[in-house]
């Protein structure tokens, strides 16, 4: 039995929550390795719906869960989320949740800066979640971040605060904002430290030990490969690496720890925020996909942009992320369409290409080349075996596998955990 890494293979919101929950129930430890509370994972367990942003999905079932150093952690958001799920009956104790002590913090000044920049950008805005994710990662690589371990030594934090404030005060002045209120920031940090520190540990040691003991690990990615800061639709991306290769650096493990890489792929395409989207349908098709798929953001409540399945993008995402197999989700949203389109290539300057070019201007200009397949009569909702799927729905799934050059390991046919067709068990390698 090996480890499993789950990543989104489109622009996020592929339905990772359900798959991760299902896998988490069989894992010994669940690890978040990038992103922050910009993620929105919805878990439906029985008649309860849990909405998680920062906490690893194992938490709901009491599976030991780790927030790795590759995450940016807003301690106030953490507290609010822990209190919210406590109200739903889920206790989060330091036995269950472990936070890397070298994890950088998201501070209120990061949230401010995220919003100031977005508001000032007009039509060129990224459409971020305004959670301060980008500014917090900037401070991490700029070597001026305050990290979880600093919460235990706030009397010594002045030199770090000097660097941080010098940088931010200059930026804030450009937006006509007052300098950082250092005293207030420090007192806020002192207040939240007592909440966070019981969870803080050198988690790489726990993970190393778990690896030695042959424990099954589940690495839970957030967002999707097309939002990766290197491989996504730059600059309309998030500020972390979302590819599976990040598991090692974002958790403190070697590159082999990732194990089976399960790419979560929605049977059509959605995107929140700005940026290129070749197969977007700003028409009744997009509207229908959005309505049937309940495509509203978990974190921001924004409507998601919707379009046809883009095999070019998923093939690329699978390649740069080393996807072993995919979990295809929300197939039932396509029930009832007379014809369904799949994008198999792009037309650019009179040529057909089979990849998304790196330049944003080219990404905005590519025209999708579609193939059309017949829709299926009846419903795929709730199917738990191939035999329960209409033949044409199976044909659609098989065509996707062929085009993206990756096998299907799971097909998810409703938000309910058991409505899943298991083709290949990722934990079995
Ligand atoms: P940020 O991560 O808040 O900086 O936002 C950057 C881009 O990533 C925006 O287009 C967001 O809509 C998108 N984004 C961030 N997190 C998620 C997610 O969990 N699902 C889908 N899109 C996301």
């Amino acid at each position: 039995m090996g480890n499993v890494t789950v990543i989104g293979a489109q622009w996020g919101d592929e339905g990772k929550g359900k798959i991760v929950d299902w896998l988490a129930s069989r894992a010994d430890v669940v690890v978040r390795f990038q992103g922050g509370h910009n993620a929105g994972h919805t878990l439906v367990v029985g008649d309860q719906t849990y909405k998680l942003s920062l906490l690893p999905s194992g938490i709901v079932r009491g599976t030991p869960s780790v927030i790795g150093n590759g995450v940016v952690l807003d301690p106030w958001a953490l507290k609010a989320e822990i209190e919210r799920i406590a109200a739903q009956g889920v206790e989060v104790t330091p036995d269950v949740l472990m936070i890397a002590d070298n994890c950088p913090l998201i501070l209120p000044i990061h949230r401010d800066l995220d919003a100031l920049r977005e508001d000032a950008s007009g039509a060129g805005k990224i459409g971020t979640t305004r959670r301060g994710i980008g500014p917090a990662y900037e401070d991490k690589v700029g070597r001026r971040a305050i990290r979880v371990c600093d919460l235990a030594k706030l009397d010594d934090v002045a030199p770090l605060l000097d660097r941080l404030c010098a940088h931010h005060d200059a930026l804030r002045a450009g937006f006509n904002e007052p300098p950082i209120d250092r005293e207030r920031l420090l007192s806020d940090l002192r207040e939240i430290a007592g909440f966070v520190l019981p969870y803080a540990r050198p988690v790489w040691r726990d993970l190393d030990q778990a690896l030695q003991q042959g424990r099954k690990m589940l690495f839970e990615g957030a967002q999707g490969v097309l939002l990766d800061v290197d491989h996504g639709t730059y600059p309309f991306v998030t500020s972390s690496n979302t590819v599976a290769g990040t598991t090692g650096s974002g958790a403190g493990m070697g590159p082999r720890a990732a194990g089976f890489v399960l790419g979560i792929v929605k049977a059509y395409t959605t995107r929140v925020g700005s940026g290129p989207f070749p197969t977007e349908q700003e028409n009744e098709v997009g509207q229908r996909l959005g309505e049937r798929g309940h495509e509203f953001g978990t974190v921001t409540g924004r409507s998601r942009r919707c379009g046809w399945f883009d095999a070019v993008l998923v093939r690329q995402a699978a390649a740069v992320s080393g996807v072993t197999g995919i979990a295809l989700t929300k197939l039932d949203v396509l029930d009832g369409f007379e014809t369904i389109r799949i994008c198999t290539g792009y037309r650019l300057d009179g040529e057909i290409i089979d990849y998304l070019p790196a330049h944003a201007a080219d990404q905005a200009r590519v025209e999708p080349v579609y193939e059309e397949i017949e829709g299926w009569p009846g419903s795929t909702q709730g199917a738990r075996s191939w035999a329960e799927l209409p033949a044409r729905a199976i044909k659609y799934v098989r065509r996707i596998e062929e085009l993206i050059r990756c096998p299907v390991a799971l097909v998810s046919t409703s938000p309910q955990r058991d409505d899943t067709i298991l083709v290949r068990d990722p934990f079995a390698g």
Side-chain angles (χ1 to χ4, degrees), residues 143-146 150 153-167 182 186:
R143 294 161 292 190
R144 54 182 172 263
I146 295 181
D150 292 307
K153 293 188 169 30
L154 286 172
D155 289 341
D156 302 330
V157 85
L160 209 51
L161 263 187
D162 289 342
R163 281 169 62 82
L164 187 71
C165 291
H167 180 78
R182 269 177 83 130
L186 252 180

Side-chain angles (χ1 to χ4, degrees), residues 11-13 38-40 126-129 133 223 227 237-238 272-273 302:
W11 276 293
D13 309 314
N38 48 348
I126 307 285
T128 73
T129 58
I133 306 291
Q223 292 86 47
L227 290 169
V237 291
T238 191
V272 210
R302 291 179 287 180

Side-chain angles (χ1 to χ4, degrees), residues 225-284:
V225 174
L226 297 168
L227 290 169
D228 182 282
V229 68
D230 287 295
H231 298 287
T233 45
Y234 193 91
F236 301 99
V237 291
T238 191
S239 296
S240 65
N241 283 111
T242 57
V243 290
T246 316
T247 49
S249 59
M253 306 194 76
R256 283 190 301 276
F260 187 108
V261 178
L262 183 68
I264 314 296
V265 174
K266 189 144 57 178
Y268 51 98
T269 314
T270 62
R271 165 161 215 174
V272 210
S274 327
F277 181 172
T279 62
E280 182 170 19
Q281 298 297 302
E282 290 178 284
N283 52 30
E284 64 282 6

